[in-house]
Amino acid sequence: MNIQNMIIRILGFFIFCFFFQVCSSRYYLTIVSPGVTSDYRLKSIGGIRMLEAAYYGTWHYTQTAFYMEPENLDALLTDPNNHILNHKELFDSVSKDRSSVRILFEYCYDQTKPIQIDEDKEQYQFEWNGNEPKSKISYLYPYSYYKKGNRIRQKLPYYQSERYPKNEWKHTTGNDQYFCVRNLLEFDGSIQKKGTNELKVVTPREQLLYYEYEYNGKFIHDSEEEIN
């Protein structure tokens, strides 16, 4: 092997390592909220969504569930996006019990449709491993978004934090506000299973949605999770 070929192979190896590091970095995951990225998304395992999509708006409707690590709770509760459409006192009442398991369930809708969203969000029912939540707060959450054709392709929290040293909140660029409903669910941590844990959601239209995740002393990130 001549020197030129050796140099090319070495450079190729370093380029591969660089791109592997970049693509595996959590900075390239979707930002959900301070302290939460799409890396904590629960796996959807079933449920009929067509009726819900028709009700909330086909191009706007999405629904997702995220596992909340205890150390991320304060960041979630102090997110300034919470206070744009809600009263601050709502978040002051949340328990800080680190032994609890918390799941964030979110669905998005077209705010131009005549939906009684305040009534709708209170009618959702949840079960985790067959148990109802100890507590639940439901609140509106704004994103900014970009469109590609008729679809909303990318959305970011309406305000985001700039990195150190500024540590300031800035308005994200986007076409408009994109509204979602968040449900912060608290469950008794003693019923968390080693292995598969399941979340069941019943919508006001009695549609069933199911999610699951693996736990083994910590939340097991899905290696096949799509990074978007």
Side-chain angles (χ1 to χ4, degrees):
M1 181 185 297
N2 60 41
I3 294 178
Q4 184 177 5
N5 287 339
M6 183 181 295
I7 292 173
I8 290 173
R9 291 199 174 196
I10 292 172
L11 287 174
F13 174 77
F14 280 107
I15 290 171
F16 169 80
C17 291
F18 172 78
F19 279 105
F20 177 82
Q21 177 66 27
V22 168
C23 293
S24 62
S25 170
R26 293 184 62 180
Y27 288 117
Y28 288 82
L29 297 167
T30 302
I31 298 171
V32 178
S33 209
V36 186
T37 70
S38 57
D39 198 26
Y40 285 91
R41 183 162 39 208
L42 273 59
K43 182 178 180 181
S44 176
I45 58 173
I48 300 174
R49 299 171 176 80
M50 289 186 293
L51 179 59
E52 300 303 303
Y55 182 80
Y56 290 118
T58 304
W59 304 118
H60 294 70
Y61 177 63
T62 60
Q63 36 75 23
T64 324
F66 302 92
Y67 186 86
M68 285 293 306
E69 296 284 10
E71 57 268 24
N72 293 334
L73 180 62
D74 283 341
L76 182 83
L77 294 176
T78 56
D79 180 352
N81 294 284
N82 296 344
H83 307 142
I84 295 175
L85 302 169
N86 310 278
H87 296 294
K88 181 179 181 297
E89 291 74 19
L90 180 66
F91 304 93
D92 293 337
S93 63
V94 176
S95 163
K96 302 296 179 62
D97 184 357
R98 292 180 64 86
S99 68
S100 294
V101 168
R102 290 181 175 83
I103 294 176
L104 183 69
F105 174 76
E106 177 182 85
Y107 62 90
C108 303
Y109 67 99
D110 181 354
Q111 66 266 30
T112 66
K113 295 194 69 174
I115 299 172
Q116 299 298 319
I117 200 65
D118 287 331
E119 297 177 9
D120 181 88
K121 64 185 175 65
E122 298 302 329
Q123 296 180 42
Y124 272 77
Q125 301 174 52
F126 302 92
E127 286 186 6
W128 176 69
N129 293 337
N131 295 267
E132 295 183 353
K134 292 168 55 177
S135 67
K136 177 190 79 169
I137 64 167
S138 301
Y139 58 98
L140 298 176
Y141 192 85
Y143 288 92
S144 61
Y145 67 84
Y146 299 83
K147 274 190 175 181
K148 185 175 182 180
N150 291 324
R151 297 300 301 270
I152 293 173
R153 293 297 188 185
Q154 180 183 6
K155 62 181 188 291
L156 297 167
Y158 203 63
Y159 290 99
Q160 287 189 83
S161 178
E162 292 186 323
R163 293 184 184 179
Y164 181 85
K166 288 188 175 180
N167 289 336
E168 295 175 349
W169 290 95
K170 65 177 182 180
H171 184 280
T172 60
T173 56
N175 295 331
D176 204 348
Q177 280 181 278
Y178 176 72
F179 292 168
C180 298
V181 174
R182 288 187 162 185
N183 297 271
L184 181 59
L185 312 170
E186 180 187 9
F187 297 95
D188 182 353
S190 66
I191 57 178
Q192 182 160 235
K193 303 175 184 177
K194 181 179 179 180
T196 302
N197 293 265
E198 184 179 283
L199 175 70
K200 174 185 173 183
V201 182
V202 184
T203 76
R205 284 146 297 281
E206 299 185 351
Q207 300 294 292
L208 302 179
L209 307 173
Y210 296 94
Y211 302 85
E212 68 177 21
Y213 68 92
E214 297 294 318
Y215 183 83
N216 186 11
K218 64 179 181 178
F219 177 82
I220 306 300
H221 299 288
D222 188 351
S223 60
E224 297 181 357
E225 181 64 79
E226 178 185 0
I227 298 176
N228 54 17

